[in-house]
Amino acid sequence: MAALVVRLSCLGKRWVLACIDGGSRHGRGAAIGLTSRRKRGQSSVAQQPLIAVQKSRKGEREWAAVVGLEIHAQISSNSKLFSGSQVHFAAPPNSLVSFFDASLPGTLPVLNRRCVEAAVMTGLALNCRINKKSLFDRKHYFYADLPAGYQITQQRLPIAVNGCLAYSVSVGKKPSQVSTRTVRIKQIQLEQDSGKSLHDEPRSQTLIDLNRAGVGLLEVVLEPDMSCGEEAASAVRELQLILQALGTSQANMAEGQLRVDANISVHHPGEPLGVRTEVKNLNSARFLAKAIDFEIKRQIHELENGRKILNETRSFDDKLGCTMPMRDKEGKQDYRFMPEPNLPPLLLYDTASLPPGADPQQVINIDWIRERLPELPGKTREKLIQQYGMLPEHSFTLLNEVGLLEFFQNVIKETRAEPKKVTSWVLNIFLGFLKQQNLAVNESPVTPSALAELLNLLDRKAISSSAARQVMDMKRGNPRAINKLIGLVRKATLSRADPTVIKEILERKLSS
Amino acid sequence: MLKGYVPPYNATVVQKLLDKGAVLMGKTNLDEFAMGSGSTDGVFGPVKNPWSYSKQYREKRKQKAHGENEDSNWLITGGSSGGSAAAVAAFTCFAALGSDTGGSTRNPAAHCGVVGFKPSYGLVSRHGLIPLVNSMDVPGILTRCVDDAAIVLGMLAGHDPKDSTTIQDPVKPFTLPTFADVNKLCIGIPKEYLAPELSSEVRSFWSKAANLFESEGAKVIEVSLPHTSYSIVCYHVLCTSEVASNMARFDGLEYGHRCDINVSTEAMYAATRREGFNDVVRGRILSGNFFLLKENYENYFIKAQKVRRLIANDFVNVFNSGVDVLLTPTTLSEAVPYLEFIKEDNRTRSAQDDIFTQAVNMAGLPAVSVPVALSNQGLPIGLQFIGRAFCDQQLLKIAKWFEKQVQFPVIQLQELMDDCSSDFEIEKLSSVSLKQ
C-alpha cells in the first residue's frame, strides 16, 4: 500500500513522504521493530514505516535521512547519583561538591535509591524491559570538568532496554492532520553528569564549576527511526512531558536539565546507511529541529558534490543556523571501558522474586513502582478527548503548552459553560492572546477564575461574545476597548448607570 | 603527587580507631601508591628494616664480612607497607595499618618479624584507602602478636555505608579463645607453592611447621591449586588496568601537585602527571591503558578476569574438600640488603616477591603472616596461613595457636639505642621526661 502525503518542512523544501515496505527501510531489523510495536498494542493507527525523502533540485535520486537521538535528562532528586551533595540549579559555584565529586582519593560511590527508582519509572513508562540485574562501568577520558578522569555509566548492561515512545507529527496544513509515530528506545542507563566549564577567552583560562559533577542522569537512547527535525523535536517533546508527568526529571531544556545529541546520516533508499555525524548539546527544541534539518541538507549537499561525510562530532551555531565541527574531537576516542569495581551489580526485584524478610529500605520492587506510576500524557489526552469531547489535536496543544492544562482544568471547575466552549476559548482566544503578548501561561494577567467568570457571563447570555472578546482586548492593554465596554454596560443598564462609575468598576474588575 | 596533600576527612578504619580512643602516632612511609615490594620507591626515601640494627643480626654479621660500614648494608623491610611494619617491629606503636593488594602487608610483616593480617575482601571498609586495585585492596593490620591483630580487627570489621563493597552483616568485636582442637584440623599444603626460587631455610621452616601440626594430631595433606602459575601475569594485567583507571583523577586540578605549565589543559595534565608520578607508577598506567584499549580489552582484561575466576575457584575447591586452612611461605627468603634489592627493577622484584601472597588477593580470602623463627643470619622468617572467606576469626585462632608454639624471639634493639644516643641527646630526653 502506497500513500503519498505532502507536507512542508520548515526550510521550505518539498518533502515527499513515501510508503516503503519494511524490508528495504533500514536493514536494521525494522521488521522486528514493527512487530514489537504491534505487540505493545501501540496506536491503532495503521503503522507503515514512513521515510521523509527529499527530491533534490538537480533531479537526482531521492535521499532518505536517518536520525537517532541520545537524550540526557537530569534526574530530579535531592542528592547526586553517587554522593550526598545536593542538587540545585544556579547555586554559587563549587558550593555543592562533596569529596567524592571532587575525586579526592579514597572516596567511593554510593548509589542513590531515588535515582534508581526514577530510572525504573521512566523505563516502565516507556514500555522497556527492566533488567533485574544491571552493571556499572567506567568511561575514561581526560577533561577538566571530569574530576575522576572517568564517568560512571552503564555501558554493558543498562537498567532498561527495548522500549518505545509514541509521538505525533503534523502531516498536513490542517491542524487535524496529525499522525502518530513510534520510535524504539534502545536503552535507558544511569550515569553521572559532568561539571561545567566556562571558557574565559580574554584571560585564556577556563573556570570549572563542579556543582553539576555527579548529578544523576538518565540517558535515553532513541533508535534511528526518525527522519527529520520535526519528528525528532516531537519525540523529544513527548519524552519531556512523560518525564515531567512522572516527576523523574523537570526536563527543562533551557536550564540544561534535558540535553539532546543527534546522530544523523543520509542515504539513497534501498542502499546501505550513510556515514553519520553527531550533533551535540542541543539545548532547545527549536534548535534541535533546525540543526537536524540543516545537517541533513548539508550532508546531501556534500554527497551530491562528490565529497564524503566524515564521521565527526559537530555543534550547532544557532546564530549562524549551521553545524560546525567541534575543535577538540580529533579522531575517534577510545574510552577504555572497564567495570566499576566499587559498585556491585544492581539487583532489582519484582513481587515474585522478592526475597522473604528483605529490608524494604534495601530493595526495589518493580511491580510496586509500576502500580504507582502517575498518569502519563497519552492517557491524559485520551481522558480529555473522552470527557470533554475535544479533538485529538486540541488535547496535544493543551499538554504541549506549559501550565495550560492546569489553567484549563481550573476554568472548567469554576465555570458552568460547556466544555467545548471552554476548550475553544482557552485554545484559540486565550492562547492566541498569550502568544501575541509573548507570555507564558504562568505570566498571564488573566486568571482562570476571571476567564471562568467571563465564560459564565457569556453562557448566561449576559454579555455577547464580542463583548467578551473585548474584555480580552482590554487585558491586552487596549484602552479604547474599555469605552466600548462601558457603552455595552450602559445599554444593559438601560442608560441608568453612571459612565464614570461603570468605568471604575470595570477597571477594578479588569485589573484583578 | 600527594606530597603536600592533607586529606580533609578520615578513612573509616582510622575514624573507627580514633572513636575507640586510639592515639594516632603518625603516618608511615611506603612504596609510592603502594606499588612495590621493598618500600624503596617512596618520595621520602626507602625504609630501613629495624632488624638491620638488631643484636641478633649484627652478631651474625660480625662473624662474616669485616671492615664494612655498619650502616651501609642495611636491609629492606619488604613492601609496600614497609613503614608500618618497621614501626611495629621497632616498638614505636601498638599497631599499624597498611594496605594489602598483592601481599603488601604480609610481605613486610614477614621481613620485619611481626604479624601481618589481611582480612577477607569486604570485611573491612575501604573508604579512605587510596585505591590501587579496587577489587583486591584491603586495609591490612600489623601487630606484634595475633591477639593484638584480633583486637584491631574487631574494631574495624563490619558494614560501612560509605563502601558499597562491604558485607551487610554486622560484626562484633571478639577475643580469641585458646584453640584446643588442633587434632580436628585439616591443613593443606599447596604443591605449586614449592617454587624453585624458595630459599632452603624457608622451605625447611615450612616443613617443620607442617610437622608440628601433624604431631599434634592435625591432618596435613598436599593439595593442588593448579592455576597458580598464571596468577602473576593475571595479576599484572588486572592491577595495571585498574591502576590506569584509578590514577586518572590525579591531574593537579582539584588537589595535590600541579605543575607550572598553563599553556593548555592537556599540557598541564601531562606535565603534572610526569612530575608527580615516579617511573613505576607511570609504567603501570601505560600498561594498564594498553590493556583497556578496545582492541585489547577482550584478549587481556576479559581473559585475565576469567583466569582470576579459575584461580579463585582453585581455592574454593580445596576448601570444599575439607581443608580448613592452607599453610605456605610468605616470602622467598629473609630480607635482603637494599643495595642488592635495587639491582633489579621494581616490576621484576614485585613479580618475584608477590608469588605466595598475591593469589590470595585475587580470591579475596583472609590470610595472615606469622613470624616463625630467625634465619641463619638472624633475620625473621614468616609463614602464611590462608583461610576460608569470612572465616577470619577461625584463621586467627589457628595462627594464635601456632604463634604460641613457635615462640618467635623478641627483637633486641638495645644496642641501637646505645649507639645512637650521644650525651647531649640523653640530657635532652631526660629533661623532656622530667618536665612531664
Side-chain angles (χ1 to χ4, degrees):
Chain A
M1 179 193 134
L4 277 170
V5 185
V6 173
R7 74 174 164 83
L8 293 166
S9 80
C10 46
L11 294 173
K13 264 228 164 113
R14 274 193 72 206
W15 294 72
V16 178
L17 288 154
C19 235
I20 297 171
D21 73 83
S24 65
R25 190 189 172 204
H26 282 304
R28 272 196 212 183
I32 299 166
L34 259 184
T35 329
S36 67
R37 277 179 225 153
R38 293 231 179 86
K39 267 196 187 143
R40 291 198 172 83
Q42 276 301 298
S43 66
S44 50
V45 173
Q47 210 68 105
Q48 302 290 332
L50 298 169
I51 305 175
V53 299
Q54 189 162 38
K55 280 209 163 72
S56 94
R57 293 225 166 96
K58 292 182 188 169
E60 285 195 21
R61 289 184 296 156
E62 294 175 344
W63 289 98
V66 169
V67 179
L69 297 177
E70 280 166 26
I71 300 170
H72 293 91
Q74 269 188 8
I75 299 175
S76 177
S77 61
N78 288 330
S79 53
K80 296 184 180 179
L81 182 56
F82 294 117
S83 71
S85 21
Q86 289 195 21
V87 179
H88 276 309
F89 182 67
N94 292 313
S95 60
L96 303 171
V97 184
S98 70
F99 297 141
F100 174 76
D101 303 327
S103 80
L104 293 196
T107 53
L108 300 169
V110 182
L111 186 55
N112 179 335
R113 188 205 168 95
R114 157 68 185 158
C115 293
V116 179
E117 287 172 349
V120 173
M121 283 172 75
T122 308
L124 291 172
L126 294 173
N127 302 292
C128 295
R129 182 185 80 225
I130 306 292
N131 281 330
K132 294 230 191 81
K133 175 170 156 180
S134 60
L135 304 170
F136 289 99
D137 301 292
R138 292 184 180 179
K139 176 179 179 181
H140 299 87
Y141 60 94
F142 285 107
Y143 204 67
D145 65 13
L146 195 66
Y150 59 83
Q151 176 201 36
I152 302 180
T153 175
Q154 293 188 298
Q155 190 242 4
R156 287 169 294 157
L157 196 55
I159 191 167
V161 290
N162 293 341
C164 63
L165 168 67
Y167 61 98
S168 83
V169 276
S170 52
V171 291
K173 263 198 263 187
K174 292 198 214 147
S176 57
Q177 290 170 304
V178 290
S179 163
T180 313
R181 306 274 160 84
T182 56
V183 54
R184 288 167 299 159
I185 308 241
K186 178 163 182 233
Q187 63 190 53
I188 298 177
Q189 62 200 56
L190 281 166
E191 57 184 37
Q192 291 175 305
D193 207 345
S194 63
K196 271 205 196 132
S197 317
L198 295 113
H199 299 291
D200 184 4
E201 296 293 342
R203 290 194 206 87
S204 334
Q205 61 182 8
T206 302
L207 306 166
I208 307 290
D209 177 11
L210 292 179
N211 281 350
R212 203 183 65 181
V215 170
L217 290 179
L218 289 176
E219 176 171 331
V220 182
V221 182
L222 302 186
E223 296 276 27
D225 295 343
M226 294 160 285
S227 54
C228 65
E230 192 190 330
E231 288 187 357
S234 303
V236 169
R237 183 77 192 105
E238 186 65 13
L239 180 64
Q240 256 183 320
L241 292 175
I242 292 174
L243 291 171
Q244 286 162 355
L246 292 172
T248 51
S249 170
Q250 289 170 331
N252 183 331
M253 285 184 93
E255 286 183 8
Q257 291 155 346
L258 193 79
R259 308 193 288 270
V260 182
D261 300 337
N263 293 309
I264 302 152
S265 74
V266 297
H267 65 285
H268 294 299
E271 282 183 14
L273 297 173
V275 174
R276 64 157 199 235
T277 61
E278 189 187 1
V279 182
K280 275 189 95 66
N281 285 332
L282 298 155
N283 52 12
S284 99
R286 223 165 31 93
F287 295 157
L288 172 68
K290 274 179 83 175
I292 290 173
D293 289 333
F294 174 87
E295 180 61 18
I296 292 172
K297 254 182 68 176
R298 183 193 76 89
Q299 288 194 11
I300 291 175
H301 186 258
E302 290 292 294
L303 290 171
E304 280 183 346
N305 284 303
R307 290 187 285 270
K308 288 206 162 91
I309 302 295
L310 293 170
N311 176 265
E312 59 179 352
T313 307
R314 299 172 77 88
S315 59
F316 182 64
D317 185 323
D318 51 293
K319 294 189 190 69
L320 297 173
C322 64
T323 62
M324 322 259 275
M326 286 176 85
R327 264 171 299 135
D328 51 6
K329 301 272 181 168
E330 294 161 26
K332 283 196 80 178
Q333 279 258 29
D334 190 331
Y335 290 114
R336 291 165 280 128
F337 284 100
M338 187 186 92
E340 169 57 70
N342 291 319
L343 291 169
L346 174 59
L347 298 175
L348 303 172
Y349 301 94
D350 50 29
T351 314
S353 62
L354 204 57
D359 181 359
Q361 291 285 340
Q362 289 294 323
V363 295
I364 286 183
N365 183 341
I366 300 169
D367 290 332
W368 194 89
I369 294 178
R370 185 186 282 116
E371 283 158 25
R372 284 159 185 76
L373 278 180
E375 185 177 276
L376 295 178
K379 188 90 176 112
T380 309
R381 287 189 289 253
E382 238 179 72
K383 280 165 79 169
L384 286 171
I385 295 171
Q386 280 171 9
Q387 226 177 338
Y388 304 119
M390 67 174 71
L391 296 169
E393 60 260 32
H394 293 160
S395 69
F396 271 97
T397 314
L398 264 182
L399 259 63
N400 273 350
E401 204 61 41
V402 179
L404 191 59
L405 177 63
E406 204 188 321
F407 187 93
F408 171 81
Q409 282 163 336
N410 285 338
V411 175
I412 289 272
K413 258 192 272 180
E414 295 186 35
T415 189
R416 263 168 304 155
E418 253 190 42
K420 287 208 172 158
K421 200 83 187 180
V422 181
T423 309
S424 167
W425 262 79
V426 170
L427 287 180
N428 296 325
I429 300 167
F430 174 66
L431 193 58
F433 154 71
L434 283 181
K435 292 291 178 203
Q436 241 206 16
Q437 304 284 296
N438 204 14
L439 292 170
V441 174
N442 61 0
E443 295 166 333
S444 163
V446 181
T447 64
S449 319
L451 187 56
E453 211 186 306
L454 192 60
L455 289 173
N456 280 344
L457 287 172
L458 195 55
D459 188 59
R460 263 206 319 248
K461 307 250 193 296
I463 56 174
S464 73
S465 100
S466 57
R469 278 173 203 266
Q470 278 165 3
V471 175
M472 295 300 296
D473 236 358
M474 177 61 222
K475 282 292 185 181
R476 214 171 303 197
N478 186 349
R480 275 175 292 154
I482 201 171
N483 296 331
K484 277 210 167 167
L485 264 174
I486 295 173
L488 285 169
V489 175
R490 273 197 83 198
K491 259 211 294 194
T493 57
L494 299 170
S495 302
R496 258 180 267 151
D498 180 348
T500 354
V501 177
I502 298 176
K503 186 164 183 198
E504 247 175 80
I505 298 174
L506 278 175
E507 277 179 337
R508 225 186 319 134
K509 283 236 153 190
L510 285 167
S511 62
S512 65
Chain B
M1 183 68 77
L2 294 176
K3 191 166 176 182
Y5 171 74
V6 178
Y9 72 100
N10 286 330
T12 299
V13 289
V14 171
Q15 192 60 50
K16 280 186 168 180
L17 290 174
L18 293 176
D19 289 343
K20 293 275 198 247
V23 175
L24 181 66
M25 302 289 302
K27 292 193 179 183
T28 53
N29 202 355
L30 70 162
D31 279 309
E32 181 166 322
F33 283 112
M35 298 186 204
S37 60
S39 302
T40 53
D41 283 320
V43 114
F44 299 110
V47 184
K48 297 180 182 175
N49 192 331
W51 284 86
S52 317
Y53 309 100
S54 66
K55 187 172 174 193
Q56 290 105 323
Y57 177 62
R58 289 200 163 172
E59 270 180 354
K60 300 281 172 151
R61 274 179 46 79
K62 279 186 188 125
Q63 295 162 14
K64 289 171 132 192
H66 303 281
E68 263 181 36
N69 186 338
E70 288 289 333
D71 195 38
S72 67
N73 221 17
W74 52 269
L75 307 153
I76 57 157
T77 50
S80 58
S81 298
S84 291
V88 173
F91 285 89
T92 60
C93 56
F94 167 73
L97 295 178
S99 70
D100 197 312
T101 306
S104 295
T105 293
R106 293 161 284 154
N107 177 300
H111 285 318
C112 295
V114 297
V115 172
F117 177 65
K118 177 209 170 294
S120 299
Y121 181 88
L123 187 63
V124 178
S125 171
R126 289 183 299 112
H127 175 252
L129 174 65
I130 297 182
L132 176 62
V133 184
N134 285 289
S135 59
M136 298 186 207
D137 294 341
V138 293
I141 301 172
L142 294 138
T143 54
R144 281 183 290 277
C145 68
V146 177
D147 266 330
D148 290 350
I151 292 172
V152 178
L153 179 65
M155 287 191 272
L156 298 184
H159 178 65
D160 182 8
K162 297 191 188 122
D163 179 352
S164 309
T165 58
T166 50
I167 48 163
Q168 296 287 325
D169 319 324
V171 176
K172 287 195 296 262
F174 55 94
T175 43
L176 290 175
T178 335
F179 189 52
D181 296 326
V182 188
N183 55 344
K184 299 209 181 93
L185 263 187
C186 177
I187 311 277
I189 310 283
K191 66 180 188 202
E192 291 84 2
Y193 280 49
L194 188 58
E197 306 90 4
L198 186 60
S199 84
S200 52
E201 276 193 286
V202 177
R203 189 167 54 211
S204 152
F205 284 123
W206 187 18
S207 214
K208 287 188 188 150
N211 292 340
L212 174 64
F213 278 101
E214 210 162 35
S215 67
E216 290 290 324
K219 198 165 95 165
V220 179
I221 56 170
E222 188 187 75
V223 296
S224 175
L225 299 169
H227 297 93
T228 302
S229 58
Y230 303 114
S231 68
I232 298 260
V233 175
C234 175
Y235 175 76
H236 181 79
V237 173
L238 295 177
C239 174
T240 52
S241 301
E242 282 223 31
V243 161
S245 177
N246 291 330
M247 298 295 148
R249 66 187 58 212
F250 295 110
D251 51 25
L253 212 56
E254 302 87 8
Y255 50 83
H257 171 71
R258 189 200 279 212
C259 68
D260 288 327
I261 296 177
N262 54 7
V263 161
S264 73
T265 315
E266 281 86 15
M268 194 267 279
Y269 273 36
T272 297
R273 289 163 72 80
R274 188 184 49 235
E275 289 168 17
F277 290 140
N278 69 13
D279 284 352
V280 179
V281 179
R282 294 213 307 275
R284 292 200 194 187
I285 292 173
L286 289 170
S287 309
N289 277 324
F290 173 79
F291 297 134
L292 290 177
L293 289 175
K294 227 176 181 174
E295 65 251 30
N296 295 327
Y297 184 73
E298 188 73 37
N299 287 332
Y300 289 95
F301 190 86
I302 298 281
K303 268 278 160 60
Q305 291 278 43
K306 291 180 178 173
V307 173
R308 180 179 177 179
R309 174 62 62 195
L310 292 175
I311 292 171
N313 283 345
D314 280 355
F315 285 100
V316 169
N317 294 336
V318 161
F319 285 124
N320 279 347
S321 70
V323 171
D324 295 301
V325 91
L326 295 169
L327 171 64
T328 78
T330 311
T331 55
L332 288 167
S333 68
E334 79 256 299
V336 298
Y338 173 74
L339 292 173
E340 195 184 304
F341 183 79
I342 56 173
K343 283 184 190 158
E344 298 275 8
D345 66 72
N346 182 298
R347 196 159 73 84
T348 312
R349 285 296 184 202
S350 297
Q352 291 166 345
D353 300 331
D354 286 348
I355 185 175
F356 301 120
T357 48
Q358 143 265 94
V360 169
N361 295 84
M362 300 238 259
L365 299 172
V368 61
S369 177
V370 180
V372 171
L374 295 180
S375 69
N376 286 334
Q377 291 201 68
L379 293 173
I381 304 261
L383 288 176
Q384 171 177 241
F385 293 94
I386 305 170
R388 287 201 183 103
F390 300 110
C391 295
D392 299 54
Q393 273 195 51
Q394 161 87 332
L395 178 67
L396 286 173
K397 242 176 18 179
I398 299 169
K400 179 176 169 177
W401 178 87
F402 181 74
E403 175 189 61
K404 191 143 180 265
Q405 306 305 310
V406 297
Q407 298 278 308
F408 180 79
V410 176
I411 186 176
Q412 285 164 20
L413 287 172
Q414 196 50 50
E415 267 183 30
L416 174 70
M417 307 259 289
D418 296 340
D419 286 348
C420 281
S421 59
S422 67
D423 290 351
F424 176 70
E425 286 189 27
I426 289 176
E427 270 191 274
K428 250 187 138 185
L429 280 166
S430 43
S431 64
V432 165
S433 54
L434 279 173
K435 273 187 191 154
Q436 303 247 334

